[in-house]
Amino acid sequence: QRRERKMSASEGNKNTEPWGGFDDNLIQGTGSAVIDMENMDDTSGSSFEDMGEMHQRMKEEEEVTAEAAATEEDNGNDGEFLGMKGLKGQLGRQVADEVWQAGKRQASKAFNLYANIDILRPYFDVEPVQVRNRLIESMIPIRMINFPQKIAGELYGPLMLVFTLVAILLHGMKTSGTVIREGTLMGTAIGTCFGYWLGVSSFIYFLAYLCNAQITMLQMLSLLGYGLFSHCLILFITYNVHFHSLFYILWLVIGGLSTLRMVAVLISRTVGQTPRLILCGTIAALHMLFLLYLHFAYHKIIEGILDTLEGPNAPPIQRVARDLPSIVNVVNATVKSLAAAAMNSQ
Amino acid sequence: MTDSRGAVCGDGAFPSGTLAFAGLSDVSISEDIPVEGDISVPVGSQNVDDVFSTLDEPVKDTILRDLRAVGKKFIHVMYPKQSSALLRDWDLWGPLLLCVTLALMLQGGSADSKEDGGPQFAEVFVIIWFGSVIITLNSKLLGGTISFFQSLCVLGYCILPLTVAMVVCRLVLLGFTGTISFIIRLIVVTASFSWSVFASTAFLADSQPANRKALVVYPIFLFYFVIGWMVLTFSPSQ
């Protein structure tokens, strides 16, 4: 707002210089409209601070002029002449109005587009190697709690991980035949992932504020976003290989590692036992339970419900057999048989 | 008023402004004040307009010319040599055509089974357009030097291989069933998916900083992967 105003002000001043000479001529004019314009120029010449105010004044004066023109016309002879003048003045004001509107529109548009992209650009300033390293580091907890650990304030990785998670969730929903009434799978997947990322980040940030932890919202978003890497990995594996113990092992090992990483970072940035317990307990519980939810909500529980529904009465939900599950079953069967063979050999 | 003068003088192609200003100058400008400024009227444009006038040609010619332009770009996508035709004169007709075709063909699968979570028309449409917008914004944020609509155009045109794959898949589904059909479709979709990614990166890679190509390619990969996966899992309801 302020910048825009300043811009227009400076522009106005620049343009006003060659117009200075007009004032004298304008005063000589007889029509009310011309005098109006002269007043306007005065305003712009002296301060030109508030375009909005000027606009308002212009409008008021326009009304006055219109009234004057109307009364003048009633008066008789020279009414017609003044009416013409009024028309011309109106035209001039219309142009001014139009130009002002266009300028304002353009300025705000340019400001919005470029400023916003420029504001966001630093958060996307990464190299591929950095992203890869951060992805790997997101699963390596560091046992250093005396000194605040570094968190990269970057949003490219988290954003891409969230989109990846959306794609994986869509895949899981499709293969499990999840049915969502009054909504689309896509919307649900996007809502779940972004809701978790933004919602939990804000919540933990709020808790961190209460617990006096040294962390910014950006760092929180980055930390939790990279934490989603383990979710992507586990869900991608377990949506394709339906093997209960495999999921639990992955959940405990990989999910646990990434949770530990976040917990270690938060501990190193918090002082005192109780705040640490509250903060880390919350984030650990949320992170691990979210993974459980994602795995079972779009996978086993729905299937279980469908199975029970199919039992006694006619199934209200028809699942169309897809081709992919058959492949999945094949993979599943091979994995199971391999596991059985391994057990036998032991 | 000062503003209006500045704008009109600077930009001669503002028709109503010029007209209105002519009336205004009659009122207030006297002879002894020299009025300076440039109103540049492009003289050559008259002739150019005459040569390329499309007003008096048959509608058929217009449509055919546009279709030919779209077709030429299709060929560029199918044979992606380093050409800037897609970038130079971008249009959104081709992407719209491809997107609607793909969405309509994917729609058929779930038309009469409402319980199935098959891809709805709107869903496909939204995925394609929002996906392209997100990829474009991402490339902008990573420091790419490409305009918004150029990128949209390239991403839209590069759906072509997947649309072709969709047609093939529907034909295959008519003829075969079971594992054979799945394997054929898997091969076709994989090939067209890699083609899409390859073509779009061939067009877009130049506009990106060299060290960040991988970061730009990843969302493109994800985008075409989701679309390709939707094509692969499509099964018409009996």
Side-chain angles (χ1 to χ4, degrees), chain A residues 15 19 22 26 40 88 95 98 121 124-128 156 163-164 171 174 179 186 322-323 327, chain B residues 1 3 5 20 27-29 115-117 123 134 138 140-142 182 185 211-212 215 218 229 233:
Chain A
N15 288 340
W19 269 91
F22 273 105
L26 287 171
M40 217 168 66
K88 283 194 171 165
V95 174
E98 211 169 49
R121 205 160 269 167
F124 286 76
D125 187 24
V126 278
E127 304 287 316
Y156 173 85
F163 280 121
T164 314
H171 167 72
K174 285 278 171 74
V179 175
M186 188 74 195
R322 293 186 177 279
D323 286 319
I327 288 294
Chain B
M1 218 51 259
D3 251 359
R5 181 191 177 258
V27 178
S28 55
I29 301 175
E115 318 293 352
D116 182 31
E123 197 180 336
I134 286 167
N138 178 54
K140 278 284 220 195
L141 286 171
L142 287 171
F182 180 76
R185 283 187 294 146
N211 50 348
R212 288 189 185 163
L215 298 182
Y218 177 69
W229 182 77
T233 55

Side-chain angles (χ1 to χ4, degrees), chain B residues 65-83:
Chain B
R65 195 183 47 245
D66 289 350
L67 280 181
R68 222 169 282 138
V70 170
K72 220 174 274 171
K73 284 173 194 155
F74 280 171
I75 293 169
H76 277 300
V77 173
M78 292 314 261
Y79 181 55
K81 51 183 174 9
Q82 295 279 336
S83 153

